[in-house]
Amino acid sequence: MRIDLHTHSTASDGTDSPAELVRTAAAAGVDVIAITDHDTTAGWKEAAAALPSGLNLVRGMEMSCEGRGEDGRPVAVHLLAYLFDPESREFAVERERLRGERITRLRAMAVRMADAGLPIDPDAILAEAGPAVGRPHLARALVRAGVVATVGEAFTDLLSTRSPYYVAKADTPLERAVEMVADAGGVSVIAHARARSRGRLLALDHIRELAAHGLGGLEVDHPDHVDQDKALLRSLAAELDLIVTGSSDYHGTNKTIELGQHTTAEAAYEAIVARATGVRVLTGSDARATRGAGR
Ligand code: AMP
Ligand code: FE
Ligand code: FE
Ligand code: ZN
């Protein structure tokens, strides 16, 4: 089984619509795909309705959080959440707050860019973006304006966390996020915890603390991880009895990675499904019957 548990659609910063995403997955020979847009479940319904026969859909998301960095200072952390109940009140309210933060932050970065003479119109970007706007939308606008040649180039200096244009968002404290996912019947997995190119790293001791408070797993096989860090995360997961996952973190043409390029072992996938109580996995054909509503 090819299992890819981390992908994005146009509901956040991917370039495939949710329907295209599940079709791309089937065409790539993937058996299980998780849709994990940033801070929203908005793509779930369309993905479920378009689910090709035989493809399994794990409904999830990737939550913007704040953890403790190796240097003791706050650091941005992404928490994958699987199979949670989307109606769980407190969690739904927090997702909405995070999407609001994304809009405020986009406008703040656009103002800094405009002050420096970069031709960026936040209203045009927001009009085109889905519910969860992000730096990749800014990157595409910079490409369109001819400021940079590619999305990747936009991230190397203009959009990086070290850039003068960068503005942080007020993300969810990681402990609270892990609790909210668990309270909603979901399973939480820390995404790309050792993605060095994105800036400072999450303290390993913070992962140890979270493991004692309901964290489900660690994403190990990720395109942004070098082998040495994969080995380190794998041994940490063994020490803490955490589930180990792997995934492409597919973003369509916003990144160069292909769907299914990194995958999760069947036993790990089954452990996630066994632990979740929020919504169930949908399989092509039965998705149409439930119209993606789950339960
Ligand atoms: P944001 O959530 O708005 O702060 O933006 C973070 C997103 O930017 C990540 O989810 C990635 O999709 C994207 N991203 C980060 N670094 C890069 C990069 N070097 N190249 C392309 N996309 C990136
Ligand atoms: Fe992203
Ligand atoms: Fe991420
Ligand atoms: Zn992601």
Side-chain angles (χ1 to χ4, degrees):
M1 284 231 280
R2 274 165 81 86
I3 303 166
D4 189 341
L5 293 183
H6 183 170
T7 71
H8 296 266
S9 78
T10 48
S12 64
D13 56 8
T15 58
D16 288 7
S17 69
E20 285 164 349
L21 180 68
V22 291
R23 284 187 213 118
T24 307
V30 167
D31 302 286
V32 180
I33 183 182
I35 180 169
T36 54
D37 279 304
H38 297 286
D39 305 323
T40 184
T41 60
W44 286 14
K45 204 173 169 186
E46 185 186 313
L51 202 58
S53 161
L55 180 64
N56 297 291
L57 177 67
V58 172
R59 287 166 288 178
M61 79 153 185
E62 184 177 23
M63 189 172 184
S64 303
C65 301
E66 183 182 291
R68 190 173 74 245
E70 287 180 322
D71 58 2
R73 292 193 296 125
V75 67
V77 178
H78 287 172
L79 186 71
L80 292 159
Y82 297 116
L83 301 170
F84 57 88
D85 177 0
E87 319 244 294
S88 177
R89 201 64 219 138
E90 195 191 9
F91 196 18
V93 167
E94 182 63 2
R95 284 198 296 278
E96 195 175 348
R97 187 190 71 77
L98 288 170
R99 294 193 297 274
E101 281 290 315
R102 288 180 165 279
I103 295 170
T104 307
R105 191 271 306 254
L106 180 91
R107 290 194 181 282
M109 287 185 71
V111 166
R112 290 190 184 191
M113 290 178 162
D115 286 350
L118 292 172
I120 289 301
D121 174 7
D123 292 310
I125 295 174
L126 287 167
E128 229 183 86
V133 70
R135 279 181 286 160
H137 295 95
L138 266 173
R140 292 181 81 84
L142 289 164
V143 171
R144 270 200 304 272
V147 177
V148 289
T150 64
V151 167
E153 194 186 323
F155 270 94
T156 26
D157 45 34
L158 296 174
L159 298 178
S160 89
T161 51
R162 291 168 293 270
S163 158
Y165 308 117
Y166 180 78
V167 177
K169 334 185 231 71
D171 293 334
T172 311
L174 203 40
E175 281 76 12
R176 280 298 298 132
V178 165
E179 272 172 23
M180 277 188 252
V181 175
D183 287 349
V187 179
S188 58
V189 171
I190 297 179
H192 48 72
R194 307 293 288 176
R196 296 175 180 277
S197 61
R198 299 180 189 220
R200 295 175 305 111
L201 297 179
L202 175 64
L204 296 180
D205 274 343
H206 198 178
I207 298 179
R208 290 193 175 89
E209 289 160 31
L210 293 163
H213 289 93
L215 177 68
L218 297 177
E219 186 180 55
V220 174
D221 280 311
H222 184 280
D224 294 356
H225 284 163
V226 297
D227 287 346
Q228 203 180 340
D229 283 322
K230 288 183 192 177
L232 183 149
L233 287 173
R234 223 177 275 283
S235 72
L236 187 64
E239 169 197 325
L240 302 171
D241 199 20
L242 295 171
I243 299 166
V244 166
T245 70
S247 36
S248 64
D249 200 355
Y250 175 75
H251 279 71
T253 58
N254 274 345
K255 288 191 183 171
T256 52
I257 205 88
E258 296 303 328
L259 244 164
Q261 208 165 317
H262 295 264
T263 55
T264 295
E266 209 166 323
Y269 165 60
E270 277 160 12
I272 291 172
V273 174
R275 187 161 158 171
T277 58
V279 293
R280 63 192 178 81
V281 176
L282 298 176
T283 304
S285 78
D286 85 51
R288 255 169 280 274
T290 62
R291 293 205 309 278
R295 47 154 269 96

